[in-house]
Coordinates of all heavy atoms in Angstrom, one line a residue:
G1 N -8.0 4.7 -9.8 CA -7.7 5.8 -10.7 C -8.3 5.8 -12.1 O -8.2 6.8 -12.6
D2 N -8.7 4.7 -12.5 CA -9.3 4.6 -13.8 C -10.7 5.2 -13.7 O -11.4 5.3 -12.6 CB -9.5 3.1 -14.3 CG -8.3 2.5 -14.7 OD1 -7.2 3.2 -14.8 OD2 -8.2 1.3 -14.9
P3 N -11.3 5.8 -14.9 CA -12.6 6.3 -14.9 C -13.7 5.4 -14.5 O -13.5 4.2 -14.8 CB -12.8 6.8 -16.4 CG -11.4 7.0 -16.9 CD -10.5 5.9 -16.2
A4 N -14.6 5.7 -13.7 CA -15.6 4.8 -13.2 C -16.6 4.7 -14.1 O -17.9 5.3 -14.0 CB -16.1 5.4 -11.8
D5 N -16.4 4.0 -15.4 CA -17.4 3.7 -16.3 C -17.6 2.3 -16.3 O -16.7 1.4 -16.7 CB -16.9 4.1 -17.7 CG -16.6 5.7 -17.8 OD1 -17.0 6.5 -16.9 OD2 -16.1 6.1 -18.8
L6 N -18.8 1.8 -15.8 CA -19.0 0.3 -15.7 C -20.4 0.0 -16.2 O -21.4 0.7 -16.2 CB -19.0 0.0 -14.2 CG -17.6 0.4 -13.3 CD1 -17.9 1.7 -12.6 CD2 -17.3 -0.7 -12.4
V7 N -20.6 -1.3 -16.4 CA -21.8 -2.0 -16.8 C -22.0 -3.2 -16.0 O -21.1 -4.0 -15.7 CB -21.9 -2.5 -18.4 CG1 -23.0 -3.2 -18.7 CG2 -21.6 -1.2 -19.2
V8 N -23.4 -3.3 -15.4 CA -23.6 -4.5 -14.6 C -24.7 -5.3 -15.3 O -25.6 -4.7 -15.8 CB -24.3 -4.0 -13.3 CG1 -24.7 -5.2 -12.4 CG2 -23.2 -3.1 -12.5
I9 N -24.4 -6.5 -15.6 CA -25.2 -7.5 -16.3 C -25.8 -8.6 -15.2 O -25.0 -9.1 -14.5 CB -24.3 -8.1 -17.4 CG1 -24.2 -7.1 -18.5 CG2 -25.1 -9.4 -18.0 CD1 -23.4 -7.7 -19.7
D10 N -27.0 -8.7 -15.4 CA -27.7 -9.8 -14.4 C -27.5 -11.2 -15.0 O -28.0 -11.5 -16.0 CB -29.2 -9.4 -14.4 CG -29.9 -10.1 -13.5 OD1 -29.3 -11.1 -12.9 OD2 -31.1 -9.9 -13.2
L11 N -26.7 -11.9 -14.2 CA -26.4 -13.3 -14.4 C -27.3 -14.3 -14.0 O -27.2 -15.6 -14.2 CB -25.0 -13.6 -14.1 CG -23.8 -12.9 -14.6 CD1 -22.6 -13.4 -14.0 CD2 -23.7 -13.2 -16.1
R12 N -28.5 -13.8 -13.4 CA -29.4 -14.7 -12.7 C -30.4 -15.0 -13.7 O -31.4 -15.9 -13.3 CB -30.0 -13.9 -11.5 CG -29.0 -13.5 -10.4 CD -29.7 -12.7 -9.4 NE -30.2 -11.4 -10.1 CZ -30.9 -10.5 -9.4 NH1 -31.2 -10.7 -8.2 NH2 -31.3 -9.4 -9.9
R13 N -30.4 -14.8 -15.0 CA -31.4 -15.3 -16.0 C -31.2 -16.6 -16.4 O -30.1 -17.0 -16.5 CB -31.5 -14.0 -16.9 CG -31.8 -12.7 -16.5 CD -31.9 -11.6 -17.4 NE -32.2 -10.4 -16.8 CZ -32.6 -9.2 -17.5 NH1 -32.6 -9.2 -18.7 NH2 -32.7 -8.1 -16.7
P14 N -32.2 -17.2 -16.8 CA -32.0 -18.6 -17.2 C -31.0 -18.8 -18.4 O -30.2 -19.8 -18.4 CB -33.4 -19.0 -17.8 CG -34.4 -18.2 -16.9 CD -33.7 -16.9 -16.8
H15 N -30.9 -17.8 -19.5 CA -30.1 -18.1 -20.5 C -28.6 -17.9 -20.1 O -27.6 -18.0 -21.0 CB -30.4 -17.2 -21.7 CG -30.4 -15.7 -21.5 ND1 -31.4 -15.1 -20.7 CD2 -29.6 -14.8 -21.8 CE1 -31.2 -13.7 -20.7 NE2 -30.2 -13.7 -21.3
L16 N -28.4 -17.3 -18.9 CA -27.0 -17.0 -18.4 C -26.7 -17.9 -17.2 O -25.7 -17.7 -16.5 CB -26.9 -15.6 -18.0 CG -27.1 -14.5 -19.1 CD1 -27.0 -13.2 -18.6 CD2 -26.2 -14.6 -20.3
T17 N -27.5 -19.0 -17.0 CA -27.3 -19.9 -16.0 C -27.0 -21.3 -16.6 O -27.6 -21.7 -17.5 CB -28.6 -20.1 -15.1 OG1 -28.9 -18.9 -14.6 CG2 -28.4 -21.0 -14.0
P18 N -25.9 -22.0 -16.1 CA -24.9 -21.6 -15.2 C -23.9 -20.7 -15.7 O -23.6 -20.8 -16.8 CB -24.3 -23.0 -14.6 CG -24.3 -23.8 -15.8 CD -25.6 -23.4 -16.5
A19 N -23.3 -19.8 -14.9 CA -22.3 -18.9 -15.4 C -20.9 -19.3 -14.7 O -20.2 -18.5 -14.1 CB -22.6 -17.5 -14.9
G20 N -20.6 -20.6 -15.1 CA -19.2 -21.1 -14.5 C -18.1 -20.3 -14.9 O -17.1 -20.2 -14.3
D21 N -18.1 -19.9 -16.3 CA -17.1 -18.9 -16.8 C -17.8 -17.6 -17.2 O -18.5 -17.6 -18.2 CB -16.5 -19.5 -18.1 CG -15.5 -18.6 -18.8 OD1 -15.4 -17.5 -18.3 OD2 -14.9 -19.2 -19.7
P22 N -17.9 -16.6 -16.3 CA -18.6 -15.4 -16.4 C -18.4 -14.7 -17.8 O -19.2 -14.3 -18.4 CB -18.4 -14.6 -15.3 CG -17.9 -15.6 -14.2 CD -17.1 -16.7 -15.0
L23 N -17.0 -14.7 -18.1 CA -16.6 -14.0 -19.3 C -17.2 -14.7 -20.6 O -17.9 -14.1 -21.5 CB -15.1 -13.8 -19.5 CG -14.7 -13.3 -20.7 CD1 -15.2 -11.9 -21.0 CD2 -13.0 -13.2 -20.8
G24 N -17.1 -15.9 -20.7 CA -17.6 -16.7 -21.8 C -19.1 -16.7 -21.8 O -19.7 -16.6 -22.8
T25 N -19.7 -16.7 -20.7 CA -21.2 -16.7 -20.6 C -21.7 -15.3 -21.1 O -22.7 -15.3 -21.9 CB -21.6 -17.0 -19.2 OG1 -21.2 -18.3 -18.8 CG2 -23.1 -17.0 -19.1
V26 N -21.1 -14.2 -20.7 CA -21.6 -12.9 -21.2 C -21.3 -12.8 -22.7 O -22.2 -12.3 -23.4 CB -20.7 -11.8 -20.4 CG1 -21.1 -10.4 -21.1 CG2 -21.3 -11.7 -18.9
V27 N -20.2 -13.2 -23.2 CA -19.9 -13.0 -24.7 C -20.7 -13.8 -25.5 O -21.2 -13.4 -26.5 CB -18.5 -13.1 -24.9 CG1 -18.0 -13.1 -26.3 CG2 -17.5 -12.0 -24.1
H28 N -20.9 -15.0 -25.2 CA -21.6 -16.0 -26.0 C -23.2 -16.0 -25.8 O -23.8 -16.4 -26.7 CB -21.1 -17.3 -25.8 CG -19.7 -17.6 -26.5 ND1 -19.4 -17.4 -27.8 CD2 -18.4 -17.8 -25.9 CE1 -18.2 -17.6 -28.1 NE2 -17.5 -17.8 -26.9
C29 N -23.6 -15.6 -24.6 CA -25.1 -15.9 -24.3 C -25.8 -14.7 -23.9 O -27.0 -14.7 -24.0 CB -25.1 -16.8 -23.2 SG -24.2 -18.5 -23.4
A30 N -25.2 -13.7 -23.5 CA -26.0 -12.4 -23.0 C -26.4 -11.6 -24.2 O -26.0 -11.7 -25.3 CB -25.0 -11.6 -22.1
H31 N -27.2 -10.6 -23.9 CA -27.8 -9.7 -24.8 C -27.7 -8.3 -24.1 O -27.6 -8.1 -22.9 CB -29.2 -10.0 -25.1 CG -29.4 -11.3 -25.8 ND1 -29.2 -11.5 -27.1 CD2 -29.7 -12.5 -25.2 CE1 -29.4 -12.8 -27.3 NE2 -29.8 -13.4 -26.2
G32 N -27.8 -7.3 -24.9 CA -27.9 -5.9 -24.3 C -29.0 -5.7 -23.4 O -28.7 -4.8 -22.3
R33 N -30.1 -6.3 -23.5 CA -31.2 -6.1 -22.6 C -31.0 -6.8 -21.2 O -31.7 -6.6 -20.4 CB -32.5 -6.7 -23.2 CG -32.5 -8.2 -23.4 CD -33.8 -8.6 -24.1 NE -33.7 -10.1 -24.5 CZ -33.4 -10.5 -25.6 NH1 -32.8 -9.8 -26.6 NH2 -33.5 -11.9 -25.9
D34 N -29.8 -7.6 -21.0 CA -29.5 -8.1 -19.8 C -28.8 -7.0 -18.9 O -28.4 -7.3 -17.7 CB -28.6 -9.4 -19.9 CG -29.4 -10.4 -20.6 OD1 -30.5 -10.6 -20.5 OD2 -28.8 -11.2 -21.5
V35 N -28.4 -5.9 -19.5 CA -27.9 -4.9 -18.7 C -28.8 -4.4 -17.7 O -29.9 -3.9 -18.0 CB -27.4 -3.7 -19.7 CG1 -26.9 -2.5 -18.9 CG2 -26.2 -4.1 -20.5
E36 N -28.3 -4.3 -16.3 CA -29.1 -3.8 -15.2 C -28.9 -2.5 -14.8 O -29.7 -1.6 -14.7 CB -29.0 -4.8 -14.0 CG -29.9 -4.5 -12.8 CD -29.7 -5.5 -11.8 OE1 -28.5 -6.1 -11.7 OE2 -30.7 -5.7 -10.9
H37 N -27.5 -2.1 -14.6 CA -27.1 -0.9 -14.3 C -25.9 -0.3 -15.2 O -25.1 -1.1 -15.7 CB -26.5 -0.8 -12.9 CG -27.4 -1.4 -11.8 ND1 -28.7 -0.9 -11.7 CD2 -27.3 -2.5 -11.0 CE1 -29.2 -1.7 -10.6 NE2 -28.4 -2.6 -10.2
V38 N -26.0 1.0 -15.5 CA -24.8 1.7 -16.3 C -24.3 2.8 -15.4 O -25.1 3.6 -14.8 CB -25.2 2.1 -17.6 CG1 -24.1 2.8 -18.3 CG2 -25.7 0.8 -18.4
I39 N -22.9 2.9 -15.2 CA -22.3 3.9 -14.4 C -21.4 4.7 -15.4 O -20.5 4.0 -16.1 CB -21.7 3.5 -13.2 CG1 -22.7 2.8 -12.3 CG2 -20.9 4.6 -12.5 CD1 -22.1 1.9 -11.2
V40 N -21.4 6.0 -15.5 CA -20.5 6.8 -16.3 C -20.0 8.0 -15.4 O -20.8 8.8 -14.7 CB -21.2 7.4 -17.4 CG1 -20.2 8.4 -18.2 CG2 -21.8 6.5 -18.4
A41 N -18.6 8.0 -15.2 CA -18.0 9.0 -14.3 C -18.4 8.9 -12.8 O -18.7 9.9 -12.2 CB -18.1 10.4 -14.9
G42 N -18.9 7.8 -12.4 CA -19.3 7.5 -11.2 C -20.8 7.7 -10.9 O -21.2 7.5 -9.8
R43 N -21.5 8.0 -12.0 CA -22.9 8.5 -11.8 C -23.7 7.3 -12.4 O -23.5 6.8 -13.5 CB -23.1 9.7 -12.7 CG -24.6 10.2 -12.6 CD -24.8 11.3 -13.6 NE -26.2 11.9 -13.6 CZ -26.7 12.8 -14.6 NH1 -25.9 13.0 -15.6 NH2 -27.9 13.2 -14.4

C-alpha cells in the first residue's frame, strides 16, 4: 500500500564487499554513483 518509490544499489562492487551488514555498508561505504535503478510511483 505504500508508494512504490525505491532505489536499488549495486552491492557487488569492491568497495561494498563484503556486505555482511547491508545497511551499515550502504551508509558508510556507498556513493550515489552506486545507484543502479530508481523507481518512482512504480515507474
